[in-house]
Amino acid sequence: MLTKEQLTESKQRLQKRKKELQEQLEDHFGKPYEQNKETTGELSNYDNHPGDHGTELFEQQKDLALNEHAETELEQIDEALQAIDKGTYGVCAVCGKDIPYERLEAVPTALTCVDHAGDTIYESSRPVEEEVISPNINPEIEEEQVEYDAEDAWQEVARYGTSETPSDFYEDKEDYDEMYPNSDEETGGTENPEEFLSSDIEGDYSGVTPNHKKYEEDYDKHR
Ligand SMILES: [Zn+2]
């Protein structure tokens, strides 16, 4: 539970920051933001070097990004000020536990404890497709994946050679034929020979794939 002094301090801190942000949004290098859209002050782009357009675009994007950031923080400050008025400030909105005052000093807009803060930036900025596909081509999970995924596609072409060297791998690689992830993984067959025998579109035998040599060597070694 926050003391009355702590609550007053928090409120002052929030209001001070709110004022700073509002000034930042209204006062853009001494001019209202809207009037300063053309950072370079050119009336026409007709005779400008293309590089100047790039500079101007960059400046505008930077201003927009900074403004967006300030606006988001303003919203969070307003929410925190509302929480103070409602008497819910300093209590986690998720679990109802007290938020340590040290946290409120560091993050005055915090409405939850650290455990329930979540990584909102991460969650809101990741591409949605990452929910269904793995961002990592070699997911380090224990269970074996049986469906044909990006890793399998890479293995299929990588067995014909890559620019990898032994130093690119954590585990020891004896042969340049093994310079791809999980090169020793058994793929596409229930019996070992099925892994290197290939067939043409008619299903007729058409030769062996490059990993055939390794099989023969292992076979000789273990015989
Ligand atoms: Zn909590």
Side-chain angles (χ1 to χ4, degrees), residues 166-203:
S167 63
D168 293 319
F169 294 90
Y170 290 111
E171 69 262 50
D172 290 334
K173 299 283 185 184
E174 290 176 3
D175 196 303
Y176 269 75
D177 284 345
E178 298 172 6
M179 295 299 155
Y180 59 93
N182 296 336
S183 54
D184 54 351
E185 186 181 86
E186 302 195 348
T187 50
T190 50
E191 301 289 335
N192 283 346
E194 288 177 30
E195 290 174 27
F196 55 78
L197 294 177
S198 65
S199 60
D200 62 17
I201 198 167
E202 306 285 343

PDB file of all heavy atoms in Angstrom, residues 166-203:
ATOM      1  N   PRO A 166      33.708 -26.339 -41.229  1.00  0.00           N
ATOM      2  CA  PRO A 166      33.526 -26.990 -39.917  1.00  0.00           C
ATOM      3  C   PRO A 166      33.357 -26.000 -38.767  1.00  0.00           C
ATOM      4  O   PRO A 166      32.678 -26.297 -37.791  1.00  0.00           O
ATOM      5  CB  PRO A 166      34.812 -27.800 -39.760  1.00  0.00           C
ATOM      6  CG  PRO A 166      35.212 -28.120 -41.150  1.00  0.00           C
ATOM      7  CD  PRO A 166      34.839 -26.914 -41.969  1.00  0.00           C
ATOM      8  N   SER A 167      33.947 -24.802 -38.895  1.00  0.00           N
ATOM      9  CA  SER A 167      33.853 -23.850 -37.786  1.00  0.00           C
ATOM     10  C   SER A 167      32.451 -23.270 -37.647  1.00  0.00           C
ATOM     11  O   SER A 167      32.143 -22.597 -36.673  1.00  0.00           O
ATOM     12  CB  SER A 167      34.851 -22.717 -37.985  1.00  0.00           C
ATOM     13  OG  SER A 167      34.541 -22.004 -39.155  1.00  0.00           O
ATOM     14  N   ASP A 168      31.573 -23.502 -38.648  1.00  0.00           N
ATOM     15  CA  ASP A 168      30.212 -22.977 -38.561  1.00  0.00           C
ATOM     16  C   ASP A 168      29.296 -23.853 -37.723  1.00  0.00           C
ATOM     17  O   ASP A 168      28.137 -23.520 -37.524  1.00  0.00           O
ATOM     18  CB  ASP A 168      29.613 -22.832 -39.966  1.00  0.00           C
ATOM     19  CG  ASP A 168      30.334 -21.766 -40.760  1.00  0.00           C
ATOM     20  OD1 ASP A 168      30.649 -20.728 -40.168  1.00  0.00           O
ATOM     21  OD2 ASP A 168      30.587 -21.983 -41.953  1.00  0.00           O
ATOM     22  N   PHE A 169      29.814 -24.978 -37.255  1.00  0.00           N
ATOM     23  CA  PHE A 169      28.964 -25.900 -36.507  1.00  0.00           C
ATOM     24  C   PHE A 169      29.505 -26.126 -35.109  1.00  0.00           C
ATOM     25  O   PHE A 169      30.700 -26.036 -34.876  1.00  0.00           O
ATOM     26  CB  PHE A 169      28.867 -27.247 -37.238  1.00  0.00           C
ATOM     27  CG  PHE A 169      28.153 -27.144 -38.544  1.00  0.00           C
ATOM     28  CD1 PHE A 169      28.859 -26.864 -39.705  1.00  0.00           C
ATOM     29  CD2 PHE A 169      26.782 -27.285 -38.609  1.00  0.00           C
ATOM     30  CE1 PHE A 169      28.205 -26.739 -40.916  1.00  0.00           C
ATOM     31  CE2 PHE A 169      26.121 -27.169 -39.811  1.00  0.00           C
ATOM     32  CZ  PHE A 169      26.830 -26.889 -40.964  1.00  0.00           C
ATOM     33  N   TYR A 170      28.606 -26.401 -34.199  1.00  0.00           N
ATOM     34  CA  TYR A 170      29.029 -26.682 -32.831  1.00  0.00           C
ATOM     35  C   TYR A 170      29.589 -28.090 -32.722  1.00  0.00           C
ATOM     36  O   TYR A 170      30.580 -28.338 -32.091  1.00  0.00           O
ATOM     37  CB  TYR A 170      27.852 -26.523 -31.862  1.00  0.00           C
ATOM     38  CG  TYR A 170      27.424 -25.097 -31.704  1.00  0.00           C
ATOM     39  CD1 TYR A 170      26.205 -24.655 -32.190  1.00  0.00           C
ATOM     40  CD2 TYR A 170      28.271 -24.180 -31.079  1.00  0.00           C
ATOM     41  CE1 TYR A 170      25.827 -23.344 -32.055  1.00  0.00           C
ATOM     42  CE2 TYR A 170      27.896 -22.863 -30.935  1.00  0.00           C
ATOM     43  CZ  TYR A 170      26.672 -22.448 -31.422  1.00  0.00           C
ATOM     44  OH  TYR A 170      26.300 -21.152 -31.288  1.00  0.00           O
ATOM     45  N   GLU A 171      28.898 -29.021 -33.376  1.00  0.00           N
ATOM     46  CA  GLU A 171      29.367 -30.398 -33.273  1.00  0.00           C
ATOM     47  C   GLU A 171      30.451 -30.648 -34.323  1.00  0.00           C
ATOM     48  O   GLU A 171      30.606 -29.867 -35.260  1.00  0.00           O
ATOM     49  CB  GLU A 171      28.198 -31.386 -33.426  1.00  0.00           C
ATOM     50  CG  GLU A 171      27.601 -31.456 -34.811  1.00  0.00           C
ATOM     51  CD  GLU A 171      26.353 -30.612 -34.962  1.00  0.00           C
ATOM     52  OE1 GLU A 171      26.389 -29.425 -34.582  1.00  0.00           O
ATOM     53  OE2 GLU A 171      25.364 -31.131 -35.488  1.00  0.00           O
ATOM     54  N   ASP A 172      31.210 -31.714 -34.141  1.00  0.00           N
ATOM     55  CA  ASP A 172      32.292 -32.018 -35.078  1.00  0.00           C
ATOM     56  C   ASP A 172      31.727 -32.534 -36.390  1.00  0.00           C
ATOM     57  O   ASP A 172      30.818 -33.353 -36.405  1.00  0.00           O
ATOM     58  CB  ASP A 172      33.221 -33.085 -34.477  1.00  0.00           C
ATOM     59  CG  ASP A 172      34.017 -32.514 -33.318  1.00  0.00           C
ATOM     60  OD1 ASP A 172      34.219 -31.285 -33.315  1.00  0.00           O
ATOM     61  OD2 ASP A 172      34.413 -33.287 -32.439  1.00  0.00           O
ATOM     62  N   LYS A 173      32.300 -32.040 -37.471  1.00  0.00           N
ATOM     63  CA  LYS A 173      31.917 -32.539 -38.791  1.00  0.00           C
ATOM     64  C   LYS A 173      33.172 -33.089 -39.443  1.00  0.00           C
ATOM     65  O   LYS A 173      34.193 -32.412 -39.517  1.00  0.00           O
ATOM     66  CB  LYS A 173      31.336 -31.403 -39.646  1.00  0.00           C
ATOM     67  CG  LYS A 173      30.078 -30.777 -39.066  1.00  0.00           C
ATOM     68  CD  LYS A 173      28.878 -31.648 -39.295  1.00  0.00           C
ATOM     69  CE  LYS A 173      27.615 -30.947 -38.807  1.00  0.00           C
ATOM     70  NZ  LYS A 173      26.434 -31.800 -38.916  1.00  0.00           N
ATOM     71  N   GLU A 174      33.080 -34.339 -39.901  1.00  0.00           N
ATOM     72  CA  GLU A 174      34.276 -34.963 -40.468  1.00  0.00           C
ATOM     73  C   GLU A 174      34.388 -34.710 -41.953  1.00  0.00           C
ATOM     74  O   GLU A 174      35.460 -34.796 -42.534  1.00  0.00           O
ATOM     75  CB  GLU A 174      34.225 -36.482 -40.231  1.00  0.00           C
ATOM     76  CG  GLU A 174      34.404 -36.856 -38.775  1.00  0.00           C
ATOM     77  CD  GLU A 174      34.255 -38.353 -38.555  1.00  0.00           C
ATOM     78  OE1 GLU A 174      34.063 -39.081 -39.541  1.00  0.00           O
ATOM     79  OE2 GLU A 174      34.324 -38.766 -37.390  1.00  0.00           O
ATOM     80  N   ASP A 175      33.283 -34.431 -42.580  1.00  0.00           N
ATOM     81  CA  ASP A 175      33.240 -34.458 -44.027  1.00  0.00           C
ATOM     82  C   ASP A 175      32.496 -33.227 -44.534  1.00  0.00           C
ATOM     83  O   ASP A 175      31.551 -32.774 -43.892  1.00  0.00           O
ATOM     84  CB  ASP A 175      32.464 -35.727 -44.438  1.00  0.00           C
ATOM     85  CG  ASP A 175      32.695 -36.063 -45.880  1.00  0.00           C
ATOM     86  OD1 ASP A 175      32.413 -35.182 -46.722  1.00  0.00           O
ATOM     87  OD2 ASP A 175      33.150 -37.183 -46.163  1.00  0.00           O
ATOM     88  N   TYR A 176      32.934 -32.705 -45.673  1.00  0.00           N
ATOM     89  CA  TYR A 176      32.224 -31.556 -46.226  1.00  0.00           C
ATOM     90  C   TYR A 176      30.823 -31.931 -46.708  1.00  0.00           C
ATOM     91  O   TYR A 176      29.988 -31.079 -46.933  1.00  0.00           O
ATOM     92  CB  TYR A 176      33.044 -30.896 -47.343  1.00  0.00           C
ATOM     93  CG  TYR A 176      33.933 -29.806 -46.788  1.00  0.00           C
ATOM     94  CD1 TYR A 176      35.084 -30.121 -46.079  1.00  0.00           C
ATOM     95  CD2 TYR A 176      33.584 -28.463 -46.930  1.00  0.00           C
ATOM     96  CE1 TYR A 176      35.877 -29.133 -45.537  1.00  0.00           C
ATOM     97  CE2 TYR A 176      34.373 -27.470 -46.389  1.00  0.00           C
ATOM     98  CZ  TYR A 176      35.521 -27.809 -45.694  1.00  0.00           C
ATOM     99  OH  TYR A 176      36.293 -26.823 -45.148  1.00  0.00           O
ATOM    100  N   ASP A 177      30.567 -33.241 -46.860  1.00  0.00           N
ATOM    101  CA  ASP A 177      29.218 -33.675 -47.200  1.00  0.00           C
ATOM    102  C   ASP A 177      28.261 -33.501 -46.022  1.00  0.00           C
ATOM    103  O   ASP A 177      27.052 -33.613 -46.172  1.00  0.00           O
ATOM    104  CB  ASP A 177      29.223 -35.163 -47.595  1.00  0.00           C
ATOM    105  CG  ASP A 177      29.774 -35.345 -48.996  1.00  0.00           C
ATOM    106  OD1 ASP A 177      29.864 -34.332 -49.716  1.00  0.00           O
ATOM    107  OD2 ASP A 177      30.119 -36.483 -49.347  1.00  0.00           O
ATOM    108  N   GLU A 178      28.827 -33.254 -44.850  1.00  0.00           N
ATOM    109  CA  GLU A 178      27.981 -33.155 -43.654  1.00  0.00           C
ATOM    110  C   GLU A 178      27.758 -31.715 -43.224  1.00  0.00           C
ATOM    111  O   GLU A 178      27.267 -31.459 -42.137  1.00  0.00           O
ATOM    112  CB  GLU A 178      28.646 -33.913 -42.492  1.00  0.00           C
ATOM    113  CG  GLU A 178      28.814 -35.391 -42.760  1.00  0.00           C
ATOM    114  CD  GLU A 178      29.636 -36.068 -41.676  1.00  0.00           C
ATOM    115  OE1 GLU A 178      29.971 -35.405 -40.681  1.00  0.00           O
ATOM    116  OE2 GLU A 178      29.943 -37.250 -41.843  1.00  0.00           O
ATOM    117  N   MET A 179      28.140 -30.779 -44.087  1.00  0.00           N
ATOM    118  CA  MET A 179      28.090 -29.377 -43.683  1.00  0.00           C
ATOM    119  C   MET A 179      26.691 -28.781 -43.776  1.00  0.00           C
ATOM    120  O   MET A 179      26.470 -27.747 -44.387  1.00  0.00           O
ATOM    121  CB  MET A 179      29.057 -28.544 -44.538  1.00  0.00           C
ATOM    122  CG  MET A 179      30.502 -28.898 -44.326  1.00  0.00           C
ATOM    123  SD  MET A 179      31.035 -28.632 -42.638  1.00  0.00           S
ATOM    124  CE  MET A 179      32.377 -29.791 -42.562  1.00  0.00           C
ATOM    125  N   TYR A 180      25.744 -29.445 -43.192  1.00  0.00           N
ATOM    126  CA  TYR A 180      24.417 -28.854 -43.053  1.00  0.00           C
ATOM    127  C   TYR A 180      23.775 -29.415 -41.796  1.00  0.00           C
ATOM    128  O   TYR A 180      24.192 -30.458 -41.293  1.00  0.00           O
ATOM    129  CB  TYR A 180      23.565 -29.087 -44.303  1.00  0.00           C
ATOM    130  CG  TYR A 180      23.332 -30.528 -44.678  1.00  0.00           C
ATOM    131  CD1 TYR A 180      22.205 -31.195 -44.221  1.00  0.00           C
ATOM    132  CD2 TYR A 180      24.230 -31.204 -45.489  1.00  0.00           C
ATOM    133  CE1 TYR A 180      21.984 -32.520 -44.565  1.00  0.00           C
ATOM    134  CE2 TYR A 180      24.015 -32.523 -45.830  1.00  0.00           C
ATOM    135  CZ  TYR A 180      22.900 -33.176 -45.370  1.00  0.00           C
ATOM    136  OH  TYR A 180      22.682 -34.482 -45.704  1.00  0.00           O
ATOM    137  N   PRO A 181      22.786 -28.724 -41.271  1.00  0.00           N
ATOM    138  CA  PRO A 181      22.226 -29.113 -39.978  1.00  0.00           C
ATOM    139  C   PRO A 181      21.650 -30.523 -39.995  1.00  0.00           C
ATOM    140  O   PRO A 181      20.988 -30.919 -40.958  1.00  0.00           O
ATOM    141  CB  PRO A 181      21.103 -28.089 -39.741  1.00  0.00           C
ATOM    142  CG  PRO A 181      21.406 -26.970 -40.655  1.00  0.00           C
ATOM    143  CD  PRO A 181      22.128 -27.537 -41.816  1.00  0.00           C
ATOM    144  N   ASN A 182      21.924 -31.268 -38.955  1.00  0.00           N
ATOM    145  CA  ASN A 182      21.400 -32.628 -38.792  1.00  0.00           C
ATOM    146  C   ASN A 182      21.644 -33.497 -40.020  1.00  0.00           C
ATOM    147  O   ASN A 182      20.752 -34.192 -40.487  1.00  0.00           O
ATOM    148  CB  ASN A 182      19.894 -32.598 -38.495  1.00  0.00           C
ATOM    149  CG  ASN A 182      19.601 -31.921 -37.182  1.00  0.00           C
ATOM    150  OD1 ASN A 182      20.466 -31.867 -36.308  1.00  0.00           O
ATOM    151  ND2 ASN A 182      18.411 -31.395 -37.033  1.00  0.00           N
ATOM    152  N   SER A 183      22.878 -33.435 -40.529  1.00  0.00           N
ATOM    153  CA  SER A 183      23.177 -34.187 -41.747  1.00  0.00           C
ATOM    154  C   SER A 183      23.064 -35.689 -41.523  1.00  0.00           C
ATOM    155  O   SER A 183      22.904 -36.450 -42.472  1.00  0.00           O
ATOM    156  CB  SER A 183      24.578 -33.841 -42.232  1.00  0.00           C
ATOM    157  OG  SER A 183      25.513 -34.048 -41.187  1.00  0.00           O
ATOM    158  N   ASP A 184      23.159 -36.110 -40.247  1.00  0.00           N
ATOM    159  CA  ASP A 184      23.083 -37.547 -39.980  1.00  0.00           C
ATOM    160  C   ASP A 184      21.647 -38.014 -39.757  1.00  0.00           C
ATOM    161  O   ASP A 184      21.396 -39.183 -39.508  1.00  0.00           O
ATOM    162  CB  ASP A 184      23.946 -37.906 -38.765  1.00  0.00           C
ATOM    163  CG  ASP A 184      23.584 -37.077 -37.547  1.00  0.00           C
ATOM    164  OD1 ASP A 184      22.794 -36.114 -37.698  1.00  0.00           O
ATOM    165  OD2 ASP A 184      24.080 -37.383 -36.454  1.00  0.00           O
ATOM    166  N   GLU A 185      20.718 -37.073 -39.878  1.00  0.00           N
ATOM    167  CA  GLU A 185      19.324 -37.430 -39.649  1.00  0.00           C
ATOM    168  C   GLU A 185      18.834 -38.360 -40.755  1.00  0.00           C
ATOM    169  O   GLU A 185      19.147 -38.164 -41.923  1.00  0.00           O
ATOM    170  CB  GLU A 185      18.494 -36.143 -39.657  1.00  0.00           C
ATOM    171  CG  GLU A 185      17.053 -36.323 -39.297  1.00  0.00           C
ATOM    172  CD  GLU A 185      16.326 -34.984 -39.353  1.00  0.00           C
ATOM    173  OE1 GLU A 185      15.867 -34.608 -40.441  1.00  0.00           O
ATOM    174  OE2 GLU A 185      16.258 -34.316 -38.315  1.00  0.00           O
ATOM    175  N   GLU A 186      18.079 -39.360 -40.370  1.00  0.00           N
ATOM    176  CA  GLU A 186      17.550 -40.271 -41.375  1.00  0.00           C
ATOM    177  C   GLU A 186      16.277 -39.670 -41.951  1.00  0.00           C
ATOM    178  O   GLU A 186      15.386 -39.263 -41.217  1.00  0.00           O
ATOM    179  CB  GLU A 186      17.275 -41.631 -40.744  1.00  0.00           C
ATOM    180  CG  GLU A 186      18.538 -42.210 -40.127  1.00  0.00           C
ATOM    181  CD  GLU A 186      18.429 -43.679 -39.813  1.00  0.00           C
ATOM    182  OE1 GLU A 186      17.312 -44.216 -39.861  1.00  0.00           O
ATOM    183  OE2 GLU A 186      19.472 -44.280 -39.541  1.00  0.00           O
ATOM    184  N   THR A 187      16.242 -39.583 -43.255  1.00  0.00           N
ATOM    185  CA  THR A 187      15.087 -38.932 -43.872  1.00  0.00           C
ATOM    186  C   THR A 187      14.469 -39.822 -44.934  1.00  0.00           C
ATOM    187  O   THR A 187      15.169 -40.517 -45.668  1.00  0.00           O
ATOM    188  CB  THR A 187      15.486 -37.611 -44.559  1.00  0.00           C
ATOM    189  OG1 THR A 187      16.606 -37.875 -45.401  1.00  0.00           O
ATOM    190  CG2 THR A 187      15.837 -36.546 -43.545  1.00  0.00           C
ATOM    191  N   GLY A 188      13.184 -39.767 -45.004  1.00  0.00           N
ATOM    192  CA  GLY A 188      12.459 -40.327 -46.125  1.00  0.00           C
ATOM    193  C   GLY A 188      12.564 -41.813 -46.345  1.00  0.00           C
ATOM    194  O   GLY A 188      12.341 -42.288 -47.448  1.00  0.00           O
ATOM    195  N   GLY A 189      12.934 -42.590 -45.343  1.00  0.00           N
ATOM    196  CA  GLY A 189      12.988 -44.019 -45.576  1.00  0.00           C
ATOM    197  C   GLY A 189      12.913 -44.809 -44.298  1.00  0.00           C
ATOM    198  O   GLY A 189      13.286 -44.323 -43.237  1.00  0.00           O
ATOM    199  N   THR A 190      12.404 -46.015 -44.391  1.00  0.00           N
ATOM    200  CA  THR A 190      12.373 -46.859 -43.211  1.00  0.00           C
ATOM    201  C   THR A 190      13.609 -47.745 -43.173  1.00  0.00           C
ATOM    202  O   THR A 190      14.071 -48.137 -42.111  1.00  0.00           O
ATOM    203  CB  THR A 190      11.111 -47.744 -43.202  1.00  0.00           C
ATOM    204  OG1 THR A 190      11.007 -48.390 -44.469  1.00  0.00           O
ATOM    205  CG2 THR A 190       9.878 -46.919 -42.943  1.00  0.00           C
ATOM    206  N   GLU A 191      14.166 -48.059 -44.346  1.00  0.00           N
ATOM    207  CA  GLU A 191      15.423 -48.804 -44.424  1.00  0.00           C
ATOM    208  C   GLU A 191      16.498 -47.848 -44.911  1.00  0.00           C
ATOM    209  O   GLU A 191      16.228 -46.966 -45.729  1.00  0.00           O
ATOM    210  CB  GLU A 191      15.295 -49.965 -45.430  1.00  0.00           C
ATOM    211  CG  GLU A 191      14.210 -50.971 -45.097  1.00  0.00           C
ATOM    212  CD  GLU A 191      14.558 -51.821 -43.883  1.00  0.00           C
ATOM    213  OE1 GLU A 191      15.767 -51.984 -43.598  1.00  0.00           O
ATOM    214  OE2 GLU A 191      13.635 -52.303 -43.213  1.00  0.00           O
ATOM    215  N   ASN A 192      17.738 -48.022 -44.422  1.00  0.00           N
ATOM    216  CA  ASN A 192      18.813 -47.108 -44.796  1.00  0.00           C
ATOM    217  C   ASN A 192      18.970 -46.896 -46.303  1.00  0.00           C
ATOM    218  O   ASN A 192      19.119 -45.763 -46.745  1.00  0.00           O
ATOM    219  CB  ASN A 192      20.142 -47.573 -44.200  1.00  0.00           C
ATOM    220  CG  ASN A 192      20.226 -47.241 -42.722  1.00  0.00           C
ATOM    221  OD1 ASN A 192      19.412 -46.453 -42.235  1.00  0.00           O
ATOM    222  ND2 ASN A 192      21.172 -47.820 -42.027  1.00  0.00           N
ATOM    223  N   PRO A 193      18.965 -47.977 -47.119  1.00  0.00           N
ATOM    224  CA  PRO A 193      19.171 -47.748 -48.563  1.00  0.00           C
ATOM    225  C   PRO A 193      18.122 -46.831 -49.178  1.00  0.00           C
ATOM    226  O   PRO A 193      18.387 -46.150 -50.167  1.00  0.00           O
ATOM    227  CB  PRO A 193      19.081 -49.160 -49.154  1.00  0.00           C
ATOM    228  CG  PRO A 193      19.437 -50.060 -48.028  1.00  0.00           C
ATOM    229  CD  PRO A 193      18.874 -49.404 -46.809  1.00  0.00           C
ATOM    230  N   GLU A 194      16.940 -46.783 -48.587  1.00  0.00           N
ATOM    231  CA  GLU A 194      15.892 -45.928 -49.152  1.00  0.00           C
ATOM    232  C   GLU A 194      16.261 -44.454 -49.097  1.00  0.00           C
ATOM    233  O   GLU A 194      15.679 -43.632 -49.799  1.00  0.00           O
ATOM    234  CB  GLU A 194      14.574 -46.135 -48.389  1.00  0.00           C
ATOM    235  CG  GLU A 194      13.919 -47.464 -48.673  1.00  0.00           C
ATOM    236  CD  GLU A 194      12.661 -47.642 -47.840  1.00  0.00           C
ATOM    237  OE1 GLU A 194      12.008 -46.634 -47.527  1.00  0.00           O
ATOM    238  OE2 GLU A 194      12.345 -48.781 -47.478  1.00  0.00           O
ATOM    239  N   GLU A 195      17.242 -44.141 -48.232  1.00  0.00           N
ATOM    240  CA  GLU A 195      17.596 -42.736 -48.084  1.00  0.00           C
ATOM    241  C   GLU A 195      18.449 -42.215 -49.221  1.00  0.00           C
ATOM    242  O   GLU A 195      18.557 -41.009 -49.414  1.00  0.00           O
ATOM    243  CB  GLU A 195      18.343 -42.519 -46.764  1.00  0.00           C
ATOM    244  CG  GLU A 195      17.438 -42.684 -45.576  1.00  0.00           C
ATOM    245  CD  GLU A 195      18.212 -42.618 -44.288  1.00  0.00           C
ATOM    246  OE1 GLU A 195      19.273 -41.977 -44.268  1.00  0.00           O
ATOM    247  OE2 GLU A 195      17.757 -43.224 -43.314  1.00  0.00           O
ATOM    248  N   PHE A 196      19.117 -43.102 -49.955  1.00  0.00           N
ATOM    249  CA  PHE A 196      19.971 -42.581 -51.030  1.00  0.00           C
ATOM    250  C   PHE A 196      19.588 -43.105 -52.405  1.00  0.00           C
ATOM    251  O   PHE A 196      20.129 -42.671 -53.413  1.00  0.00           O
ATOM    252  CB  PHE A 196      21.456 -42.845 -50.735  1.00  0.00           C
ATOM    253  CG  PHE A 196      21.794 -44.292 -50.472  1.00  0.00           C
ATOM    254  CD1 PHE A 196      21.914 -45.189 -51.513  1.00  0.00           C
ATOM    255  CD2 PHE A 196      21.999 -44.719 -49.169  1.00  0.00           C
ATOM    256  CE1 PHE A 196      22.231 -46.507 -51.265  1.00  0.00           C
ATOM    257  CE2 PHE A 196      22.311 -46.047 -48.920  1.00  0.00           C
ATOM    258  CZ  PHE A 196      22.427 -46.949 -49.965  1.00  0.00           C
ATOM    259  N   LEU A 197      18.670 -44.043 -52.459  1.00  0.00           N
ATOM    260  CA  LEU A 197      18.208 -44.491 -53.769  1.00  0.00           C
ATOM    261  C   LEU A 197      17.210 -43.476 -54.293  1.00  0.00           C
ATOM    262  O   LEU A 197      16.334 -43.025 -53.565  1.00  0.00           O
ATOM    263  CB  LEU A 197      17.531 -45.860 -53.650  1.00  0.00           C
ATOM    264  CG  LEU A 197      18.433 -47.025 -53.243  1.00  0.00           C
ATOM    265  CD1 LEU A 197      17.606 -48.290 -53.086  1.00  0.00           C
ATOM    266  CD2 LEU A 197      19.541 -47.234 -54.258  1.00  0.00           C
ATOM    267  N   SER A 198      17.369 -43.084 -55.537  1.00  0.00           N
ATOM    268  CA  SER A 198      16.402 -42.127 -56.069  1.00  0.00           C
ATOM    269  C   SER A 198      15.698 -42.728 -57.278  1.00  0.00           C
ATOM    270  O   SER A 198      16.199 -43.650 -57.918  1.00  0.00           O
ATOM    271  CB  SER A 198      17.104 -40.820 -56.441  1.00  0.00           C
ATOM    272  OG  SER A 198      18.010 -41.043 -57.489  1.00  0.00           O
ATOM    273  N   SER A 199      14.534 -42.169 -57.537  1.00  0.00           N
ATOM    274  CA  SER A 199      13.764 -42.685 -58.663  1.00  0.00           C
ATOM    275  C   SER A 199      13.318 -41.518 -59.534  1.00  0.00           C
ATOM    276  O   SER A 199      13.286 -40.373 -59.082  1.00  0.00           O
ATOM    277  CB  SER A 199      12.543 -43.456 -58.156  1.00  0.00           C
ATOM    278  OG  SER A 199      11.736 -42.598 -57.390  1.00  0.00           O
ATOM    279  N   ASP A 200      13.012 -41.813 -60.778  1.00  0.00           N
ATOM    280  CA  ASP A 200      12.556 -40.740 -61.663  1.00  0.00           C
ATOM    281  C   ASP A 200      11.048 -40.562 -61.529  1.00  0.00           C
ATOM    282  O   ASP A 200      10.412 -41.182 -60.670  1.00  0.00           O
ATOM    283  CB  ASP A 200      12.972 -41.029 -63.116  1.00  0.00           C
ATOM    284  CG  ASP A 200      12.339 -42.313 -63.644  1.00  0.00           C
ATOM    285  OD1 ASP A 200      11.354 -42.795 -63.025  1.00  0.00           O
ATOM    286  OD2 ASP A 200      12.825 -42.833 -64.662  1.00  0.00           O
ATOM    287  N   ILE A 201      10.491 -39.737 -62.394  1.00  0.00           N
ATOM    288  CA  ILE A 201       9.076 -39.404 -62.259  1.00  0.00           C
ATOM    289  C   ILE A 201       8.179 -40.617 -62.463  1.00  0.00           C
ATOM    290  O   ILE A 201       7.045 -40.675 -61.981  1.00  0.00           O
ATOM    291  CB  ILE A 201       8.727 -38.251 -63.237  1.00  0.00           C
ATOM    292  CG1 ILE A 201       7.419 -37.578 -62.821  1.00  0.00           C
ATOM    293  CG2 ILE A 201       8.659 -38.748 -64.683  1.00  0.00           C
ATOM    294  CD1 ILE A 201       7.172 -36.262 -63.522  1.00  0.00           C
ATOM    295  N   GLU A 202       8.708 -41.634 -63.193  1.00  0.00           N
ATOM    296  CA  GLU A 202       7.932 -42.851 -63.424  1.00  0.00           C
ATOM    297  C   GLU A 202       8.057 -43.823 -62.254  1.00  0.00           C
ATOM    298  O   GLU A 202       7.398 -44.862 -62.236  1.00  0.00           O
ATOM    299  CB  GLU A 202       8.425 -43.567 -64.694  1.00  0.00           C
ATOM    300  CG  GLU A 202       8.458 -42.709 -65.953  1.00  0.00           C
ATOM    301  CD  GLU A 202       7.070 -42.472 -66.525  1.00  0.00           C
ATOM    302  OE1 GLU A 202       6.144 -43.215 -66.140  1.00  0.00           O
ATOM    303  OE2 GLU A 202       6.914 -41.539 -67.331  1.00  0.00           O
ATOM    304  N   GLY A 203       8.962 -43.515 -61.323  1.00  0.00           N
ATOM    305  CA  GLY A 203       9.171 -44.422 -60.211  1.00  0.00           C
ATOM    306  C   GLY A 203      10.271 -45.428 -60.475  1.00  0.00           C
ATOM    307  O   GLY A 203      10.506 -46.327 -59.670  1.00  0.00           O
TER     308      GLY A 203
END
